[in-house]
Amino acid sequence: MTQKKSGKAFDFKLFRRLITYTNPYKLTFYFVALTAILLSIFTVIRPYLLQQTIDKTIIPKDNELLLFFISAMIGVLVLEVTTQFLFIYFANWLGQEVIRDIRVKLFKHMIGFKKQYYDQSAVGRLVTRAVSDIETIASIFSQGLFMIISDLLKMFVILCFMFYQSWQLTLLVLLILPLILYATRIFQQKMKAAFEEVRTQVSNLNSFVQERITGMKIVQLFTREDIEYEKFKEINEKHKKGWIKTVWYNSIFFPIAEMSSSITIGLIVWFGGLNATQNGTITLGVVIAFIELSQMLFRPLRQIADKFNTLQMGMVAANRVFAILDTNSKIENNGHLLLDSVKGKITFDDVRFSYVKDEEVLKGVSLTVNAGETVAIVGATGAGKSTIINLLSRFYEIDSGVISVDDTDIKTVELTSLRSHIALVLQDVFLFADTIFNNITLNNSEISEEEVYNAAKEIGIHDFIMSLPGGYEYNVKERGAMLSSGQRQLISFLRAYVANPSVLILDEATSSVDSHSEQLIQDATNKITKGRTSIVIAHRLATIRNADQIIVMDQGQIVERGNHNQLLEIQGGYYKNLYEVQFDTIPD
């Protein structure tokens, strides 16, 4: 997934797109904006009250009026604190609502991708996009956007009030302002580039850790701990350097801002103090108020730079998330036919397919599987066996030709309707970190406990499940780690059986299990294939002797077809040679 870097300090087009997600929460959005305006007003009321207190009560020594101004300042402070609370709470609430909607939309978009997309995408990166990147987007609303708006309003109101009080002191303050603005601009641009690098390194780090933890057995088996440790240190070092860049820019900018603020205070005290001692238009209260106002003016400016960092990180994260949302990698679901029932006739008519352009995996395959037949597909690794079943389920789009179910082109069938009539049992069974029951039903509320129990008894695995602690409520942990490969395979058979499919596909279902489990699986196979169209891919030819038809593939083409006995009669045939290698013994 490539990212376009505009080089802009701020991408307004991306920002406008992000803001559209606040449309369902307009009232909250406007309320937060209102509290931001109120906060900017309260900002100048306190210095004004302080000025009036000094000029009208402390210098004249009016104790009664002093009490009034102190009470007024306390009241304003309470209102300001209350408004600040409402502002922070609802800004964060809005951010969480927005990222919830984006995350749901992203996940829905991702589960519709072609299998090819996941073949080419690192899982760790996708997890980063769906979790940490989206969480970073929330900070745009909670700590970025509204905070910046609030700070800008404060600065505007403060400047207007300062001009009203003393245009001479205001011009002194504005002498330093261009330096701060220029430094802030450079700071923003540098931080944007730095944060893009940080997010890239975070993705690399997540991807590396996820893959190594998933493949920890291989890492330890081949004693690669030291090698992977060194690789991790290298990636982690790049991640650290990315963050160090942001620290470096911060360490330069904030001292400059602090120095500028101190110079401003010195100028105010010098000019305002001279004017006040010479009975000019500037009073002592104005000088004190301007000292506070100048700090309140520069403090938001420094905070804006800080909040802009947060905003930049959120924008970078949003850009990455939107890149996935904009990815068009879905199987075209333009079919409108809904299949209420399927007899199970399957036809491939001159089907050609390639994972990589101009490198065909299937080269004009044509075959017919009649309804209720059991058809086996055999051949060397890479011959195209698994590709056939992937295309039947429409995990990939064919280059040319037609695939039909009951003489209906599968492209004209609604995708969910098509797949609901097909069940697939893979060699590498995937189980979720959940109970056996939920792994069987996949949380389908239409499948009852009684149906699951009866199906398990019918295919002979009920006793095995009940022997586990908790029976059907036994949690198999991540990827079914608490079960053996044979046990996982049995669970996958039961999962397929309760789905009651019209077409059953078994892909190398017995290639990695022990003899006892293989017998159980063979019995289960005989049960669940009875009366339905079944396609069996197998290396062990003993499991497919009774198939109605055996398809032999080599290098993406069908080279032989027939039943077991017919294929053995072909002298020098592919299937006959394969059979002899597996079953013939060397004579004494």
Side-chain angles (χ1 to χ4, degrees):
M1 291 173 286
T2 57
Q3 306 292 330
K4 291 183 179 180
K5 298 182 181 180
S6 63
K8 302 175 184 177
F10 191 79
D11 191 335
F12 283 98
K13 184 177 180 181
L14 178 65
F15 180 72
R16 285 195 298 269
R17 179 177 180 182
L18 186 61
I19 286 296
T20 60
Y21 285 91
T22 66
N23 288 341
Y25 315 104
K26 284 185 177 179
L27 287 177
T28 303
F29 185 90
Y30 293 142
F31 178 77
V32 174
L34 175 62
T35 57
I37 295 172
L38 291 176
L39 284 174
S40 66
I41 295 173
F42 290 140
T43 299
V44 297
I45 291 178
R46 284 192 294 107
Y48 175 73
L49 290 174
L50 177 61
Q51 173 200 331
Q52 294 297 310
T53 302
I54 294 172
D55 290 340
K56 293 185 178 182
T57 66
I58 295 178
I59 294 176
K61 298 182 181 180
D62 188 337
N63 294 335
E64 291 184 6
L65 195 57
L66 175 62
L67 183 62
F68 169 77
F69 277 113
I70 290 174
S71 300
M73 283 191 285
I74 293 173
V76 170
L77 181 62
V78 171
L79 287 174
E80 187 175 5
V81 169
T82 303
T83 307
Q84 186 80 14
F85 163 75
L86 294 173
F87 173 77
I88 293 173
Y89 176 81
F90 283 103
N92 279 274
W93 181 90
L94 181 62
Q96 291 301 317
E97 291 293 323
V98 167
I99 66 168
R100 179 198 62 186
D101 295 346
I102 296 177
R103 185 179 280 126
V104 168
K105 184 177 181 179
L106 178 66
F107 185 76
K108 183 178 180 181
H109 189 66
M110 288 170 62
I111 61 177
F113 281 158
K114 299 176 184 177
K115 191 172 179 292
Q116 191 169 8
Y117 177 86
Y118 294 103
D119 294 340
Q120 300 171 351
S121 302
V123 174
R125 292 179 185 272
L126 296 177
V127 172
T128 300
R129 301 294 179 268
V131 181
S132 63
D133 276 348
I134 287 187
E135 202 62 44
T136 305
I137 293 175
S139 63
I140 292 178
F141 300 94
S142 61
Q143 302 172 37
L145 171 65
F146 291 115
M147 290 292 186
I148 291 175
I149 292 175
S150 177
D151 287 343
L152 287 173
L153 283 172
K154 287 178 182 178
M155 292 174 63
F156 175 76
V157 173
I158 288 170
L159 279 173
C160 291
F161 181 74
M162 290 171 72
F163 268 110
Y164 172 75
Q165 289 293 313
S166 172
W167 63 268
Q168 299 102 318
L169 289 179
T170 304
L171 290 179
L172 278 177
V173 172
L174 293 180
L175 284 175
I176 307 300
L177 195 59
L179 174 62
I180 295 291
L181 292 175
Y182 178 74
T184 302
R185 176 66 175 173
I186 298 299
F187 180 67
Q188 291 167 354
Q189 292 175 334
K190 295 295 183 181
M191 290 301 285
K192 177 178 172 60
F195 280 131
E196 283 180 342
E197 183 176 346
V198 166
R199 297 310 303 171
T200 298
Q201 296 306 327
V202 167
S203 295
N204 292 339
L205 192 63
N206 286 345
S207 180
F208 182 88
V209 172
Q210 189 273 334
E211 287 182 349
R212 269 57 185 183
I213 290 177
T214 303
M216 188 57 69
K217 182 185 292 186
I218 300 299
V219 171
Q220 294 179 348
L221 182 63
F222 288 89
T223 63
R224 289 184 57 86
E225 292 93 339
D226 292 340
I227 296 174
E228 299 302 333
Y229 172 69
E230 292 300 325
K231 284 186 177 180
F232 178 80
K233 285 174 60 179
E234 182 181 339
I235 294 175
N236 200 35
E237 179 67 18
K238 290 180 180 179
H239 177 256
K240 183 206 73 174
K241 287 180 178 179
W243 275 109
I244 289 296
K245 276 189 178 181
T246 67
V247 174
W248 168 252
Y249 295 137
N250 276 296
S251 65
I252 294 176
F253 173 76
F254 287 103
I256 292 176
E258 195 64 35
M259 179 185 67
S260 302
S261 177
S262 299
I263 292 174
T264 303
I265 293 174
L267 290 174
I268 291 172
V269 172
W270 168 71
F271 184 84
L274 285 177
N275 189 282
T277 57
Q278 296 173 3
N279 298 319
T281 58
I282 300 174
T283 65
L284 180 60
V286 171
V287 173
I288 299 299
F290 258 76
I291 291 174
E292 184 173 354
L293 286 167
S294 66
Q295 295 303 294
M296 295 171 69
L297 179 66
F298 289 146
R299 189 184 307 120
L301 191 57
R302 294 196 298 268
Q303 289 176 348
I304 284 176
D306 191 36
K307 297 301 183 294
F308 201 89
N309 295 345
T310 301
L311 186 60
Q312 290 286 34
M313 288 191 70
M315 294 295 285
V316 170
N319 189 41
R320 294 175 181 274
V321 171
F322 288 148
I324 297 180
L325 288 172
D326 293 338
T327 299
N328 184 19
S329 185
K330 289 190 174 184
I331 295 290
E332 292 184 7
N333 190 15
N334 299 325
H336 300 290
L337 291 178
L338 299 178
L339 302 177
D340 294 328
S341 62
V342 171
K343 294 180 181 178
K345 181 183 178 182
I346 299 170
T347 305
F348 278 62
D349 184 11
D350 194 24
V351 173
R352 295 181 178 275
F353 172 76
S354 54
Y355 293 102
V356 180
K357 190 176 181 180
D358 298 326
E359 295 181 17
E360 283 190 335
V361 177
L362 296 186
K363 305 170 183 177
V365 170
S366 296
L367 63 88
T368 299
V369 181
N370 295 317
E373 276 190 346
T374 296
V375 173
I377 304 177
V378 299
T381 300
K385 307 184 298 298
S386 295
T387 300
I388 286 180
I389 62 175
N390 284 332
L391 296 179
L392 177 60
S393 302
R394 287 201 70 194
F395 291 134
Y396 301 89
E397 294 281 23
I398 60 177
D399 297 338
S400 63
V402 177
I403 302 176
S404 303
V405 173
D406 288 351
D407 297 321
T408 300
D409 187 343
I410 61 174
K411 286 188 176 181
T412 66
V413 181
E414 200 278 327
L415 194 57
T416 303
S417 177
L418 171 68
R419 290 176 178 171
S420 67
H421 292 282
I422 301 173
L424 177 62
V425 178
L426 297 170
Q427 174 186 356
D428 183 19
V429 178
F430 187 93
L431 298 181
F432 296 94
D434 205 337
T435 64
I436 287 180
F437 182 82
N438 287 338
N439 269 289
I440 293 168
T441 64
L442 296 178
N443 295 305
N444 185 348
S445 59
E446 296 181 1
I447 302 176
S448 66
E449 290 185 8
E450 184 178 356
E451 288 178 296
V452 173
Y453 296 159
N454 291 337
K457 291 175 182 177
E458 287 178 20
I459 64 175
I461 66 173
H462 177 74
D463 292 339
F464 140 65
I465 295 175
M466 293 305 296
S467 67
L468 298 171
Y472 287 86
E473 296 304 312
Y474 180 64
N475 193 309
V476 301
K477 305 301 180 182
E478 187 174 2
R479 298 184 66 88
M482 302 304 291
L483 302 177
S484 68
S485 58
Q487 291 171 329
R488 291 196 296 270
Q489 199 66 265
L490 290 169
I491 298 299
S492 70
F493 268 82
L494 183 54
R495 176 195 290 171
Y497 189 46
V498 298
N500 193 27
S502 301
V503 178
L504 178 68
I505 300 172
L506 307 178
D507 187 2
E508 309 285 3
T510 61
S511 63
S512 59
V513 297
D514 56 75
S515 299
H516 175 68
S517 296
E518 182 178 359
Q519 185 57 50
L520 288 174
I521 291 173
Q522 191 60 50
D523 294 340
T525 301
N526 295 334
K527 180 67 179 178
I528 66 177
T529 57
K530 186 176 181 181
R532 58 169 54 91
T533 302
S534 303
I535 299 177
V536 181
I537 296 176
H539 282 305
R540 299 185 184 182
L541 302 187
T543 62
I544 59 170
R545 287 182 178 181
N546 297 324
D548 298 303
Q549 182 182 178
I550 299 174
I551 305 293
V552 184
M553 297 193 66
D554 184 34
Q555 297 182 8
Q557 295 178 308
I558 296 176
V559 293
E560 294 174 5
R561 69 180 78 199
N563 60 37
H564 175 72
N565 292 327
Q566 290 171 338
L567 292 176
L568 287 181
E569 293 176 358
I570 302 175
Q571 295 300 317
Y574 189 105
Y575 182 84
K576 180 179 176 66
N577 291 335
L578 187 62
Y579 184 82
E580 289 175 349
V581 168
Q582 287 193 20
F583 296 102
D584 281 4
T585 57
I586 300 175
D588 295 333

